[in-house]
Amino acid sequence: MDSSSKENIQLFCKNSVQPVERPSFKTEYSSSEEKQPCCGELKLFLGALSFVYFAKALAEGYLKSTITQIERRFEIPSSLVGVIDGSFEIGNLLVITFVSYFGARLHRPKIIGAGCLVMGVGTLLVALPQFFMGQYRYERYPSSSNSTLRTSPCILESNSQLPTSVMEKSQSAINNGCVQTVAIIGPIFGFLLGSLCAKLYVDIGFVNLDHITITPKDPQWVGAWWLGYLIAGVISLLAAVPFWCLPKSLLKPQSKEDSNSSTEKSKFIMDDHTEYQTPHREKAKMMDMARDFLPSLRSLFGNPVYFLYLCASTVQFNSLFGMVTYKPKYIEQQYGQSSSKANFVIGLINIPAVALGIFSGGIVMKKFKISVCGAAKIYLGSSVVGYLLFLSLFALGCENSDVAGLTVSYQGTKPVSSHERALFSDCNSRCKCSETEWEPMCGENGITYTSACLAGCQSSTRSGKTIIFHNCTCVGIATLMSGNSSGMVGRCQKDNECPKMFLYFLVISVITSYTLSLGGIPGYILLLRCIKPQLKSFALGIYTLAIRVFAGIPAPVYFGVLIDTSCLKWGFKRCGSRGSCRLYDSNAFRHIYLGLTTLLGIMSIFLSIVVLFTLKKNYVSKHRIFRTKRERTMVTSRIRKENYTSDHLLQSNCWPGKETQL
C-alpha cells in the first residue's frame, strides 16, 4: 500500500476479467455517457488514496513528536525508543515486495482498504498501555494549598525518616504530485498535533489537574502522548471506507485512448477492447509472473545505475531518518525548549520547507525538461549544498547548563571529573539525600541542583504551584555568601545567548531542509528512467523495501544508542533498574547528533558521484551511439528515396506513352 502513489494508481486494475462482450462500435452519446462515471470513480480513488497517505503520514509524524514523551513516561533509554520507532516500518516488510509485484492481479482497492484497517487498529493499540498502567508518578515534594506550610527538604542524618518524593501523577504525473503533496502535509499536522497533546497532562481526564504541581516547562512533564494515537487511528479507519465501494477496474473511455502510452502509464483504467480471459488463463499468467520473479530481481540488481542509486538513497535516508527522529529531543536538550514548542516549530517551519523544496524540484524538472543526466546532477548538487549548510550547525550550539556535581563543582568552577560521586559535597554532607533523585532546583546563583536536598535546603514554602526553598547551604557556598540562600523548583535557564542561537538554528535548518528536498523529484525521475518500463513498479517496491529495512528500522536505533552515551544523569525506576536520561552533555550530544548525520550525508554524496559517472558511461554513451546510427539510417533512407524519385521521373520522361498504354 505504501511503496509509492504512482504504483497504486498504475496497477490498480490491470487486465481485469471481462466476461461480457462489447459491441464493435459505440455511438458518441454512449462514449460520453461512460466517460463520466469512469472519471468520477477515478477521482474518488485519487481522493481516497490521498487521504490514506495523509493518515499514514500523520501517524508517522506524530510518532516522531512523542519520542521524548514516551521516553519519560515509561522510563526507557533513547536506544529502546529507537527500536519502537523503527518497528513502525516492520509491518510493511512482510508484504511490500509481493504486493508491488502481484498487486496488478488482485483487487487493489480492497487491499488498500484492508491495509488501512490494519493500520488504524495498530495505531489504536499503541495508545493501549496508557489505560493498563497506573498513573504517572513524578518526583516532587508534597503539595499543599496553604502558602505558610513549611517542609524540610534536607533530612538530617540523625532523623530516621526518608524524604517524601512520591506525588500523584497522571493524471499520472499530476495525480502523483497531488498524492505526494498530501503525504507531505500529513507530518505537518502530525507534529502540530504532537505540540497540542504535549501541553496536556498525561493523565488528563483521570486526575484532578489542580493537584498537579509541574508545568509543561518542567523536565519531568509528560504530555498526553496517547491522545494523538487515538485520533490518528480513527482517521486511518475512516480512510478505509471509500475503497470498499470501488470496483476492481474501470473502463477506459474511447476518447481517452492513447496508442503511444507505455507500460508505465496508468493501468487503473482499462482499455475497452480488452480480450476475455478465462480463470485458467489468468492462473497460467500468475504462474509465469511467479517464475519471472527471480529473473526480474536479478535484472534490477544487475543494473549498475539502479543499484548504486539504491545504495546512495539508503545511506542518505539513514542520515535523514536519524536526524528527524531525534530533532525534537535535540531542540529540547540543546536549546532548553519544551516538547510542545519543539514539535510546533518542526511542524510549522521545517516540514513546509521540505514540501516547498520537493515542489520546486518538480517545477524545475518540468519547465526546463531536464534530462536524466541533469536530474542526477541536481540530485547530487542539492546534497552537496545541503550538507555544507548543515555543517554550520556545529557552531550554533549552547553550552552545558551549570548543574552542581555534573557540569560544575559545588563551588561553581568548571569542569568536574566525575558524575554521580560528585553529587555529594561538604555543604550537603549532613543531609540524608538520594543520589538517584531528579528534582531539579534553580538556585539564585544560576546553578541547577539535582534536588533541593542535595542543595542543602533546610525549609520550603509553597504558593500555588510555585515552591521556594530557603536556607540552602550549597547555594550560599557557590555565591561566596556567608549566609544561606534560596532557590526555586525547576532547572535554570540557559545562558542569554542560547535564544539567539536557537533562532539561527531554525533559519539554517529551514534552508537546509529546502535544499536537501530539492533533489527529491530529480532522484525519483532518475530512478524511473534507468530501468525497463515493465520493471518500474517492481523496482519501486524493492526501493521502498530497501529504504525501510536498511534505513527506517536501524537508523533510529543506532542514533539512540550513540546519543545515550552523552547522558550525564540517568533516572531510575522504582525497581532500581536504569530509566530514561535526565540530563545530557550538550556538547557531546551536539557532536554525536550532527556528526553522525553529516558523516552519513558525505557517504551518500560520494555514492551519488559514482552514480553520475556510471550514468554517463553506461547510458549517455549508448544514447550517442544509438543517435548516430539512427541519423545515419535516416540519411541513407533519404538518399534512397531521392534516388528512387529521380529514377521514377526519368522513366516517366523517357516513356511518354506510359500513361496512355496503362
Side-chain angles (χ1 to χ4, degrees):
M1 178 185 73
D2 167 52
S3 60
S4 77
S5 60
K6 187 170 184 179
E7 176 191 352
N8 288 331
I9 297 174
Q10 289 173 357
L11 301 180
F12 181 24
C13 296
K14 180 181 177 183
N15 298 331
S16 175
V17 178
Q18 300 293 332
V20 181
E21 297 182 357
R22 299 184 179 86
S24 59
F25 65 93
K26 294 185 179 180
T27 64
E28 184 178 356
Y29 174 77
S30 62
S31 177
S32 62
E33 191 178 35
E34 291 182 359
K35 178 180 177 181
Q36 294 180 355
C38 173
C39 293
E41 290 177 336
L42 179 59
K43 290 179 179 178
L44 176 61
F45 173 75
L46 180 61
L49 187 63
S50 300
F51 190 57
V52 169
Y53 270 71
F54 171 80
K56 182 179 182 300
L58 172 70
E60 287 182 338
Y62 185 76
L63 175 64
K64 304 291 185 185
S65 71
T66 58
I67 290 296
T68 55
Q69 307 291 319
I70 294 176
E71 188 174 325
R72 292 184 196 137
R73 177 65 180 90
F74 299 100
E75 290 288 349
I76 53 179
S78 298
S79 56
L80 185 53
V81 173
V83 174
I84 296 174
D85 182 83
S87 64
F88 191 86
E89 309 287 352
I90 294 177
N92 298 286
L93 305 182
L94 303 177
V95 295
I96 189 172
T97 304
F98 298 98
V99 168
S100 64
Y101 190 74
F102 295 103
R105 313 301 305 170
L106 305 174
H107 198 301
R108 201 166 186 83
K110 290 187 177 179
I111 293 177
I112 299 175
C116 291
L117 292 177
V118 174
M119 183 172 65
V121 173
T123 307
L124 293 174
L125 289 177
V126 176
L128 214 56
Q130 171 66 21
F131 303 98
F132 288 103
M133 297 185 65
Q135 293 180 356
Y136 174 56
R137 290 184 174 273
Y138 56 90
E139 297 173 340
R140 182 60 73 232
Y141 296 97
S143 62
S144 173
S145 59
N146 187 353
S147 60
T148 62
L149 178 67
R150 305 179 68 89
T151 59
S152 177
C154 176
I155 305 298
L156 300 180
E157 287 186 354
S158 58
N159 295 341
S160 60
Q161 292 181 336
L162 291 177
T164 304
S165 63
V166 179
M167 176 67 190
E168 180 186 16
K169 84 129 191 182
S170 299
Q171 283 165 352
S172 179
I174 297 177
N175 293 343
N176 189 53
C178 177
V179 176
Q180 294 295 343
T181 301
V182 175
I184 291 295
I185 295 175
I188 297 178
F189 284 89
F191 276 96
L192 292 180
L193 179 63
S195 175
L196 175 63
C197 293
K199 293 181 179 179
L200 306 176
Y201 186 65
V202 60
D203 290 324
I204 184 172
F206 300 95
V207 297
N208 187 351
L209 298 181
D210 294 334
H211 295 165
I212 305 302
T213 60
I214 58 176
T215 65
K217 294 184 179 180
D218 194 286
Q220 298 186 81
W221 176 271
V222 176
W225 61 272
W226 50 274
L227 185 60
Y229 288 107
L230 296 181
I231 297 174
V234 172
I235 293 176
S236 298
L237 293 177
L238 293 176
V241 175
F243 291 99
W244 300 99
C245 305
L246 287 170
K248 182 179 180 182
S249 62
L250 297 178
L251 300 180
K252 182 176 181 180
Q254 191 171 3
S255 60
K256 293 289 185 181
E257 289 182 358
D258 184 9
S259 59
N260 296 326
S261 61
S262 62
T263 55
E264 67 180 279
K265 299 297 183 181
S266 176
K267 299 300 182 183
F268 165 59
I269 305 177
M270 286 179 44
D271 193 356
D272 284 340
H273 304 287
T274 304
E275 296 180 358
Y276 178 88
Q277 294 187 6
T278 62
H280 177 72
R281 183 175 177 181
E282 285 197 353
K283 184 176 180 180
K285 196 164 186 177
M286 287 288 290
M287 295 299 296
D288 293 337
M289 290 177 65
R291 283 194 294 268
D292 291 339
F293 182 83
L294 290 179
S296 299
L297 194 61
R298 285 195 296 267
S299 177
L300 283 180
F301 287 107
N303 187 325
V305 176
Y306 176 81
F307 180 74
L308 289 172
Y309 176 75
L310 183 65
C311 294
S313 297
T314 302
V315 175
Q316 187 178 38
F317 273 106
N318 270 272
S319 170
L320 298 178
F321 282 149
M323 178 185 67
V324 173
T325 299
Y326 293 100
K327 194 167 191 176
K329 188 183 188 71
Y330 179 78
I331 293 176
E332 292 178 42
Q333 296 293 332
Q334 189 69 210
Y335 301 103
Q337 303 296 323
S338 64
S339 298
S340 177
K341 187 172 183 178
N343 293 327
F344 182 79
V345 297
I346 292 175
L348 203 62
I349 300 177
N350 275 96
I351 298 180
V354 173
L356 182 61
I358 294 175
F359 182 77
S360 301
I363 292 296
V364 170
M365 290 294 296
K366 181 179 180 181
K367 184 174 182 179
F368 297 99
K369 297 180 173 59
I370 306 296
S371 64
V372 63
C373 189
K377 292 179 180 178
I378 295 177
Y379 177 77
L380 174 61
S382 67
S383 297
V384 172
V385 176
Y387 283 106
L388 283 177
L389 289 172
F390 194 81
L391 286 174
S392 63
L393 297 180
F394 280 95
L396 301 179
C398 296
E399 294 296 326
N400 282 318
S401 299
D402 291 339
V403 182
L406 296 179
T407 61
V408 296
S409 65
Y410 277 87
Q411 287 73 31
T413 58
K414 296 182 180 180
V416 292
S417 57
S418 59
H419 300 317
E420 299 296 336
R421 294 292 182 183
L423 291 177
F424 296 100
S425 179
D426 293 337
C427 61
N428 57 27
S429 59
R430 296 186 61 196
C431 301
K432 195 170 185 180
C433 306
S434 171
E435 62 180 0
T436 62
E437 291 180 354
W438 177 249
E439 303 169 1
M441 185 211 77
C442 178
E444 65 178 18
N445 55 6
I447 297 178
T448 300
Y449 298 86
T450 57
S451 68
C453 180
L454 288 171
C457 300
Q458 304 297 322
S459 62
S460 67
T461 58
R462 179 179 182 271
S463 177
K465 291 187 177 182
T466 303
I467 300 179
I468 301 177
F469 301 95
H470 304 281
N471 302 326
C472 303
T473 56
C474 294
V475 177
I477 291 177
T479 55
L480 301 178
M481 297 169 132
S482 58
N484 296 322
S485 300
S486 61
M488 296 179 61
V489 170
R491 291 168 58 176
C492 298
Q493 296 293 326
K494 295 262 188 176
D495 56 80
N496 296 331
E497 292 294 321
C498 200
K500 187 185 298 183
M501 290 294 183
F502 179 56
L503 181 60
Y504 294 154
F505 168 81
L506 291 180
V507 174
I508 299 298
S509 179
V510 168
I511 299 175
T512 303
S513 300
Y514 174 80
T515 306
L516 289 174
S517 60
L518 273 176
I521 295 299
Y524 185 76
I525 297 299
L526 171 63
L527 174 66
L528 291 178
R529 290 184 182 177
C530 72
I531 52 182
K532 298 177 182 178
Q534 62 269 23
L535 294 177
K536 287 184 189 277
S537 63
F538 186 45
L540 289 173
I542 295 297
Y543 175 81
T544 307
L545 176 67
I547 295 299
R548 294 187 180 282
V549 172
F550 301 111
I553 295 177
V557 177
Y558 64 76
F559 262 80
V561 171
L562 293 176
I563 288 174
D564 280 341
T565 61
S566 64
C567 183
L568 293 177
K569 171 64 177 171
W570 287 98
F572 288 88
K573 301 178 182 178
R574 298 176 196 170
C575 59
S577 61
R578 195 174 74 174
S580 60
C581 183
R582 307 302 195 196
L583 179 69
Y584 288 91
D585 184 336
S586 296
N587 294 324
F589 193 171
R590 181 171 68 255
H591 293 153
I592 291 173
Y593 175 76
L594 299 180
L596 187 56
T597 302
T598 305
L599 177 62
L600 292 170
I602 293 174
M603 292 173 59
S604 70
I605 288 175
F606 280 110
L607 288 172
S608 299
I609 294 175
V610 178
V611 169
L612 182 59
F613 279 103
T614 305
L615 184 66
K616 287 183 176 180
K617 180 180 178 181
N618 292 358
Y619 288 86
V620 177
S621 59
K622 291 181 181 179
H623 177 70
R624 290 177 179 173
I625 295 174
F626 174 76
R627 186 175 60 184
T628 303
K629 290 182 178 180
R630 185 178 63 180
E631 290 176 352
R632 290 178 180 175
T633 303
M634 293 176 63
V635 171
T636 305
S637 300
R638 186 170 62 251
I639 294 175
R640 289 178 179 176
K641 185 176 181 180
E642 292 176 354
N643 291 336
Y644 173 78
T645 303
S646 60
D647 292 342
H648 180 71
L649 293 175
L650 181 61
Q651 292 176 6
S652 300
N653 293 333
C654 295
W655 189 13
K658 178 179 69 173
E659 290 83 357
T660 306
Q661 291 186 12
L662 288 174

